[in-house]
Each structure stands twice: as structure tokens, then as C-alpha cells.
């Protein structure tokens, strides 16, 4: 039994995917072998049945995968989330007034609605 990453680092509030590979003593891969995942510290991270790790608090944990009585571990470190300033809108000269207007006077019944979609990636 092996996990594809021996160490995993995840910023708080984000997730990481890991995979486990079950093998025979001869090294032959056992496809479709059911794997049971576990986190040693659910206050730091949880892991679902598919190996998706979701960070829940800063700290460290051990992520374990078990199949046929064999177990493999990966060290997990959950780091502080990036500062909010790392994800900001570009400089705009026009107002961004759509979304959730604060007053009904801003709602228009006709015209063109334009919006900006912002994708932020944290590494």
C-alpha cells in the first residue's frame, strides 16, 4: 500500500487530492481494491472516501490509507490561509454595481448587464 504523496501541504480552507495504490507482495497493482482513509486529527483536516483532503484548521496530521490490512501514511501540514490582499480586483475606472445592490433604485428593468468574473489561485 502506498500513497502517491509522502508529504502534503495545504493552505487553510483549501483541499488536496491524494491517491492510494494497493499492490501485492510481488508489486502487482490491485485495481479496484477498496481503500479506507483516515485523518489522525480531524480538527486540522478531514479526508473522504476518495482521498480528498479538506483543511479545517492550521496544524499537522497524518493521513492514512488502509487496504487488506496494509496501511500507508502521508504527513499533512495545513498552513495559514493567504492574506485577503492576495486576491483582489484589478484597478477599475468604472463602478461594479451589479450583484447585490443595496438600494432598489439601482435595479434596472432594461439594458445590458455586464459583469466581471475573477478567479483567484493560491499556490
Amino acid at each position: 500500500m502506498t500513497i502517491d504523496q509522502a508529504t502534503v501541504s495545504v493552505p487553510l480552507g483549501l483541499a488536496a487530492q491524494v491517491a492510494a495504490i494497493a499492490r501485492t507482495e510481488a508489486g502487482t497493482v490491485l485495481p479496484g481494491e477498496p481503500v479506507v482513509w483516515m485523518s489522525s486529527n480531524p480538527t486540522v483536516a478531514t479526508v473522504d472516501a476518495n482521498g480528498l483532503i479538506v483543511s479545517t484548521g492550521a496544524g499537522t496530521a497524518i493521513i492514512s490509507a488502509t487496504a487488506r490490512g496494509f496501511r500507508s501514511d502521508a504527513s499533512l501540514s495545513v498552513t495559514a490561509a493567504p492574506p485577503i490582499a492576495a486576491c483582489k480586483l484589478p484597478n477599475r475606472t468604472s463602478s461594479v454595481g451589479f450583484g447585490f445592490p443595496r438600494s432598489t433604485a439601482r435595479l434596472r428593468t432594461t439594458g445590458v448587464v455586464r459583469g466581471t468574473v475573477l478567479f483567484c489561485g493560491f499556490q
Side-chain angles (χ1 to χ4, degrees), residues 84-117:
I84 197 74
C87 181
K88 59 184 177 182
L89 290 172
N91 291 335
R92 306 271 310 182
T93 55
S94 62
S95 66
V96 181
F98 294 96
F100 297 101
R102 288 186 169 77
S103 69
T104 56
R106 293 179 69 193
L107 294 175
R108 296 191 291 175
T109 56
T110 60
V112 177
V113 176
R114 296 184 182 167
T116 301
V117 176

Side-chain angles (χ1 to χ4, degrees), residues 56-90:
T56 55
T60 59
I62 300 295
I63 301 299
S64 302
T66 306
R68 284 196 182 183
F70 295 97
R71 176 177 157 168
S72 183
D73 295 333
S75 298
L76 172 70
S77 173
V78 176
T79 58
I84 197 74
C87 181
K88 59 184 177 182
L89 290 172

